[in-house]
Amino acid sequence: TKPVLLVTAYGNFLEPELAQRLAPLRQLARPLSRAVLYQALKQAFEHQPLPSSKTPGETTPEQFSARVLLVEDNPVNQLVARGLLQKLGCQVGIATNGEDALKQLAGADFDLVLMDCNMPVMDGYQATREIRASGRWPDLPV
């Protein structure tokens, strides 16, 4: 089962019972702190729950190296997300829509895709369906 990280402005988008059936699913509400984003990404990479390792007063999460494809059409969101991910130690590629994301995935290796759902040209839902249907990236967290 591939991990799913759902970040919304609405809090818990899915009812907890449904989310448990879809596990491993983690729902997070925006805005996210760097520490929360780090823990969620680390959990997605490790495919297992993580205890919080943050001690009181800690402001800098530990670093890790990952190649992340950020698929986002909004330039401000791109800037903010890229900055957060780079501070976590990630190398970040940017795609402005699902079609661009598929092209970038075909040309480079990524460890994780952060996918916006609503974009022009090809939305995140369709792009994710095509990623899964291709069979080329069976273990790539999206």
Side-chain angles (χ1 to χ4, degrees), residues 54-60:
K54 188 174 179 190
T55 57
E58 181 182 357
T59 57
T60 305

Side-chain angles (χ1 to χ4, degrees), residues 6-122:
L6 179 63
V7 180
T8 71
Y10 312 110
N12 285 342
F13 184 73
L14 298 173
E15 294 297 322
E17 300 80 31
L18 177 58
Q20 288 299 321
R21 288 194 306 254
L22 297 173
L25 171 68
R26 177 108 186 257
Q27 298 183 83
L28 300 172
R30 294 184 316 214
L32 297 177
S33 70
R34 272 198 326 241
V36 170
L37 178 61
Y38 168 78
Q39 289 295 325
L41 291 172
K42 188 172 178 182
Q43 181 179 359
F45 282 119
E46 293 178 354
H47 301 278
Q48 61 187 6
L50 294 174
S52 176
S53 61
K54 188 174 179 190
T55 57
E58 181 182 357
T59 57
T60 305
E62 59 184 287
Q63 298 287 300
F64 68 100
S65 175
R67 289 194 32 90
V68 177
L69 179 59
L70 174 64
V71 188
E72 170 63 60
D73 61 318
N74 183 299
V76 174
N77 292 346
Q78 289 174 4
L79 183 67
V80 171
R82 173 181 263 168
L84 283 171
L85 290 165
Q86 287 176 333
K87 285 182 181 181
L88 293 172
C90 297
Q91 296 175 35
V92 182
I94 300 228
T96 57
N97 59 62
E99 188 175 278
D100 185 26
L102 293 170
K103 288 177 186 173
Q104 289 196 42
L105 283 171
D109 291 327
F110 289 95
D111 301 306
L112 174 72
V113 177
L114 293 177
M115 183 80 70
D116 185 9
C117 294
N118 298 310
M119 297 176 289
V121 182
M122 180 187 290

